[in-house]
Amino acid sequence: MSAHCMLTGREPGFGKNISHSHRRTSRRFDPNIQRKRYWLASEGRHVRLTLSASAIKTIDSIGVEAAVARIRARGVKV
């Protein structure tokens, strides 16, 4: 599963692990990505979205229809 949020566009950040001896190795900071299924009443079907935890909270406040409109405005196919 790709670590990209469809609504907010959050993606992994990159950095370094630093050991006690100060050796640096690459690491990746992944956002909290979940796959969630919503009922889209306007189209009469379910949609499965890949969302970050913060985007799920956003959908709870603005609604699924508005969120799908924002996702499509970003050019992502739903």
Side-chain angles (χ1 to χ4, degrees):
M1 175 168 50
S2 161
H4 279 287
C5 176
M6 296 172 96
L7 182 60
T8 61
R10 289 191 63 174
E11 53 191 20
F14 296 90
K16 300 285 185 184
N17 281 326
I18 302 178
S19 71
H20 180 68
S21 64
H22 263 281
R23 289 183 65 118
R24 289 178 164 94
T25 55
S26 293
R27 66 159 295 177
R28 183 172 142 142
F29 297 90
D30 284 329
N32 185 4
I33 297 293
Q34 312 289 326
R35 283 179 57 95
K36 193 136 168 69
R37 188 170 169 240
Y38 289 100
W39 173 252
L40 198 60
S42 63
E43 297 181 16
R45 68 185 182 103
H46 285 96
V47 291
R48 190 174 298 277
L49 303 175
T50 305
L51 302 167
S52 62
S54 60
I56 292 172
K57 294 173 190 171
T58 302
I59 289 179
D60 289 343
S61 65
I62 67 170
V64 182
E65 302 289 338
V68 168
R70 283 189 194 180
I71 291 170
R72 287 183 173 148
R74 290 184 66 237
V76 178
K77 185 176 179 238
V78 176

